[in-house]
Amino acid sequence: MKQIETNIDVQSEQYRFNITEYQPVLDEYKSRLQSVFNRENEPSVQKHTSRGKFPARKRIELLVDPGTAFLELSALAANEQYNNNFPAAGIITGIGIVQGKKVMIVANDATVKGGTYVHETIKKHIRAQEIAMQNHLPCVYLVDSGGIYLPEQANVFADRFNFGRIFNNQAQMSAKGIPQISIVFGSCTAGGAYIPAMSDETIIVRGQGTIFIGGPPLVKAATGEDVTAEELGGAHVHTSVSGVADHLAENEVDAIRKCRAIFETIPASKAQIVDRKEPKPPIYPANELYGIAPVDLKKQVDPKEIIARIVDESRFNEFKANYGTTIVSGFAHVDGFPVGIIANNGFLTTEAAQKAAHFIELCNFRKIPLVFLQNITGFIVGKKYEHEGIARAGAKMIHAVATASVPKITLVAGGSYGAGNYAMSGRAFDPNFLFMWPNTKIGVMGGEQAAGVLSSIGNKTNREQLEKQFETESSVYYSTSRLWDDGVIDPADTRKVLALAIETSLNRKIEEPKTGIYRM
């Protein structure tokens, strides 16, 4: 593979300006993360720890193998919603390693409104289960939750992807042979009682864990019976009387130890075998991405400059280099794993869409995971291009993306607009993972363009107000708050995150392609 030669002069005035311009973007990102992670002085956290209970992230730290990485997902879920009273949406999800096996971990944070669920909490929990199913990952539920947040019940209870979907997913995962283990650290009430009840094995902590369909106040209201939480559904009841739980733990450390012991008997998944090379770092430093990442999305960035700082030895075997040049495609390795990369270099044209479809088919047959590097304003428009059949070419690319059986990992590094979002494996196309950089924007179009379109058809909507609305709703934080992605990542961490995502996506066998290769 040919080594990419950079055209970036890190000593230049332009590069130094880019670094300066990106710093506030990075600072805001880190500040928002810190507001989620550093909460030890909050009264709810202090009350929780004063009871001898670990915070959710500490429980995860004790569960995973020492010295291994934990890929946390959607850390900024629910950000700037609910008056910021639901940091991380009150639930921690991510991928860790337990006894050498990749595992999806779902941990309630009882310091956030008692671990109750709002819309984004449910969406995050369900997304974790979707990732577990897609990648055949065992699931560990660290349960400490009061169930549905009652003031939001109309938004979380009855619809298809509301609270009940969690239990449907548990049944589907069980049918697929995906192990599920629960540790009950605290409250587990109402519908939430089914999380441990539907798990393969359940551990419950003495004096802390409780499981019941209706708590003491509801029992009193319904039957007049006075009963304590421990008498109704404590650890002794469920390990000695009801049989709902299987293992009694003396404390949280003991519970985690028992969970790790269970994973000694869980067989490893039948992973996809790929020709993994010895991992070698890029020849260019990752932090140079701060001077490359676009802040002004109207300025095109050479995607090869990004690729050069992500892939092994900065080597890239480009496919159809001189054809459809608004798409850059080719083969590389990330941490030794083979990947096919499709990156935007401008509008999607007929030739670019055809090229991308062809390349996707090659990766599909060679069982090589795809990485989509999005920085796209959309498909090119105009009479000439419509006559050339841009819609037909775009449909071919979209069809190839939708039906690809290989893993797909999407990174939004700049803009993600219009049908370009779809063609480049946006959320609607079920990529195994989708991450965004802090400088990115996502929307049907830019605010200025939207205002112009509405004006041209006689709509008298206030232009300034509309542009402001589009600006707000296309923000990366608006997106990640609503879980349109799997998290915002630091550009310098891109290679590490991609490597974890690729390795996770190879945790199951890749299906055989359903069609041959059609040259476009």
Side-chain angles (χ1 to χ4, degrees):
M1 292 185 182
K2 184 179 178 182
Q3 203 163 60
I4 297 173
E5 293 185 12
T6 185
N7 291 313
I8 301 293
D9 178 4
V10 297
Q11 303 301 324
S12 70
E13 186 176 332
Q14 181 61 55
Y15 179 81
R16 290 198 299 270
F17 172 79
N18 292 349
I19 289 282
T20 302
E21 195 175 37
Y22 201 79
Q23 192 60 52
V25 175
L26 194 62
D27 289 344
E28 180 181 5
Y29 165 66
K30 291 183 176 180
S31 174
R32 288 179 186 250
L33 277 184
Q34 291 308 313
S35 70
V36 170
F37 292 150
N38 297 338
R39 301 178 47 242
E40 58 273 7
N41 293 325
E42 293 182 14
S44 62
V45 177
Q46 293 179 340
K47 184 177 181 180
H48 180 85
T49 55
S50 70
R51 294 170 173 169
K53 300 177 74 173
F54 290 128
R57 287 188 179 84
K58 180 63 177 179
R59 289 168 177 166
I60 293 170
E61 180 187 326
L62 294 171
L63 175 64
V64 300
D65 292 355
T68 60
F70 175 67
L71 178 59
E72 183 167 342
L73 304 171
S74 301
L76 294 174
N79 187 250
E80 293 190 331
Q81 298 189 73
Y82 312 101
N83 295 315
N84 273 327
N85 287 328
F86 281 85
I91 195 168
I92 316 302
T93 64
I95 297 160
I97 297 175
V98 179
Q99 301 289 21
K101 304 171 182 81
K102 280 200 162 39
V103 173
M104 173 59 74
I105 300 171
V106 179
N108 297 117
D109 186 348
T111 70
V112 179
K113 301 293 184 182
T116 53
Y117 283 65
V118 291
H119 176 72
E120 286 71 23
T121 322
I122 293 168
K123 197 171 182 180
K124 189 169 174 179
H125 191 136
I126 289 172
R127 174 60 184 153
Q129 291 178 315
E130 288 172 349
I131 292 172
M133 284 189 277
Q134 190 175 30
N135 301 290
H136 211 275
L137 299 174
C139 228
V140 178
Y141 304 105
L142 307 183
V143 187
D144 198 348
S145 168
I148 286 173
Y149 182 61
L150 293 179
E152 288 287 317
Q153 69 89 24
N155 298 318
V156 299
F157 176 65
D159 207 353
R160 183 183 178 198
F161 289 99
N162 282 173
F163 200 58
R165 191 71 179 193
I166 293 170
F167 316 121
N168 177 70
N169 284 346
Q170 282 192 263
Q172 298 297 334
M173 291 165 72
S174 183
K176 294 176 187 293
I178 298 173
Q180 297 171 84
I181 309 298
S182 282
I183 306 178
V184 181
F185 288 106
S187 179
C188 192
T189 307
Y194 290 110
I195 292 175
M198 296 183 71
S199 295
D200 298 13
E201 293 187 59
T202 291
I203 304 154
I204 188 168
V205 179
R206 187 193 297 275
Q208 286 184 198
T210 56
I211 305 171
F212 31 63
I213 300 299
L218 183 59
V219 170
K220 174 69 174 177
T223 68
E225 182 183 8
D226 285 307
V227 62
T228 67
E230 190 66 27
E231 292 169 335
L232 185 63
H236 173 75
V237 169
H238 287 309
T239 55
S240 302
V241 181
S242 73
V244 170
D246 308 295
H247 307 279
L248 176 64
E250 294 303 321
N251 50 50
E252 296 200 5
V253 172
D254 186 39
I256 291 167
R257 181 187 61 78
K258 290 179 185 295
C259 182
R260 288 184 52 80
I262 289 170
F263 269 88
E264 291 181 4
T265 65
I266 291 176
S269 295
K270 294 179 180 179
Q272 178 65 38
I273 304 300
V274 296
D275 184 16
R276 187 179 184 185
K277 308 289 186 185
E278 180 186 351
K280 294 182 180 179
I283 64 172
Y284 307 107
N287 61 10
E288 289 183 358
L289 290 169
Y290 298 142
I292 297 169
V295 176
D296 181 356
L297 299 184
K298 293 178 181 178
K299 295 179 181 178
Q300 187 60 43
V301 171
D302 182 355
K304 290 183 191 174
E305 297 291 355
I306 297 174
I307 294 168
R309 289 155 179 85
I310 293 172
V311 302
D312 291 15
E313 296 186 293
S314 304
R315 294 189 181 276
F316 183 60
N317 187 14
E318 192 167 358
F319 174 73
K320 282 185 182 288
N322 300 319
Y323 181 80
T325 55
T326 61
I327 277 281
V328 171
S329 59
F331 298 100
H333 290 82
V334 174
D335 200 38
F337 293 104
V339 293
I341 298 175
I342 299 176
N344 298 121
N345 192 30
F347 283 107
L348 277 169
T349 63
T350 298
E351 294 82 6
Q354 290 173 337
K355 168 179 163 179
H358 186 176
F359 183 71
I360 290 166
E361 290 179 338
L362 291 178
C363 291
N364 218 27
F365 267 78
R366 297 173 191 176
K367 296 188 176 178
I368 295 174
L370 282 160
V371 173
F372 291 85
L373 187 56
Q374 280 199 21
N375 182 17
I376 179 70
T377 51
F379 283 85
I380 199 162
V381 297
K383 180 179 176 180
K384 175 180 182 292
Y385 306 105
E386 297 295 351
H387 287 193
E388 286 177 355
I390 182 66
R392 182 174 64 248
K396 289 175 182 176
M397 181 178 175
I398 287 171
H399 185 87
V401 171
T403 59
S405 55
V406 294
K408 296 174 289 190
I409 293 95
T410 302
L411 171 68
V412 183
S416 180
Y417 291 107
N421 169 277
Y422 304 150
M424 289 293 292
S425 194
R427 194 64 140 177
F429 286 75
D430 290 332
N432 295 60
F433 296 93
L434 190 155
F435 299 105
M436 302 182 78
W437 281 356
N439 53 288
T440 57
K441 293 185 183 298
I442 183 169
V444 67
M445 63 180 70
E448 187 179 339
Q449 291 84 353
V453 169
L454 288 175
S455 295
S456 70
I457 61 175
N459 189 302
K460 296 183 179 178
T461 303
N462 182 288
R463 187 184 186 99
E464 185 179 337
Q465 181 181 347
L466 184 67
E467 288 189 24
K468 185 177 180 181
Q469 176 190 338
F470 267 67
E471 184 68 19
T472 298
E473 293 176 356
S474 64
S475 159
V476 66
Y477 299 113
Y478 191 94
S479 164
T480 203
S481 177
R482 289 154 181 80
L483 289 100
W484 298 350
D485 54 64
D486 294 313
V488 182
I489 64 172
D490 186 324
D493 291 335
T494 299
R495 174 180 163 82
K496 178 175 65 177
V497 172
L498 286 180
L500 288 169
I502 293 162
E503 187 174 14
T504 299
S505 70
L506 293 169
N507 196 58
R508 65 178 299 173
K509 295 285 187 182
I510 296 173
E511 295 177 7
E512 295 297 327
K514 298 177 177 63
T515 61
I517 295 175
Y518 298 104
R519 290 184 61 88
M520 297 298 164

